[in-house]
Amino acid sequence: MKAFKLVRKMKDGTISPLFINKTIRLPINKWMKAEAHLTKGFAFRKGWHCTLSPNAPHLSEKGRVWVEVEVKNVKTYKRPESQGGTWVLAQNMKIIKEI
């Protein structure tokens, strides 16, 4: 399934998650399995958090880029359009390209 993810763009050109486990670097074109990381201040939802379109009005795009991803083993959550609409939580994700 095709989806989109907003990620941090680092000064060295690598990318990382926005909030949860944000010290790792995300590889391009490699399948990654979701891990469980309890993080203070965030609801616990195991999975790679993605959207069906590159749209998340509640998040700043400063220093961030959208990537197109392929996801498997997904669960969807209906969210308000102000939060990007439907969220996709995937247990497996592969980053295809920066958009």
Side-chain angles (χ1 to χ4, degrees):
M1 171 184 197
K2 178 178 168 180
F4 299 90
K5 182 166 184 60
L6 189 60
V7 295
R8 289 189 312 153
K9 181 81 168 202
M10 309 308 289
K11 290 181 182 179
D12 65 2
T14 60
I15 56 176
S16 71
L18 293 182
F19 306 112
I20 311 299
N21 199 24
K22 63 185 179 181
T23 60
I24 67 166
R25 298 301 179 255
L26 301 172
I28 307 295
N29 208 29
K30 180 180 178 187
W31 281 104
M32 298 173 281
K33 186 174 180 174
E35 299 174 349
H37 295 275
L38 294 173
T39 305
K40 187 175 181 177
F42 291 90
F44 179 73
R45 296 183 191 100
K46 182 184 175 192
W48 296 103
H49 289 62
C50 306
T51 57
L52 295 177
S53 65
N55 178 41
H58 65 298
L59 298 174
S60 167
E61 292 191 14
K62 184 178 179 182
R64 300 169 177 178
V65 295
W66 284 99
V67 291
E68 179 182 324
V69 298
E70 187 176 337
V71 292
K72 295 193 281 189
N73 303 320
V74 301
K75 185 173 184 179
T76 59
Y77 290 86
K78 292 290 185 193
R79 303 300 297 169
E81 286 301 317
S82 63
Q83 293 182 359
T86 301
W87 287 3
V88 177
L89 268 66
Q91 297 308 304
N92 303 93
M93 178 184 79
K94 177 171 67 171
I95 298 172
I96 304 300
K97 64 181 178 180
E98 186 177 320
I99 60 170

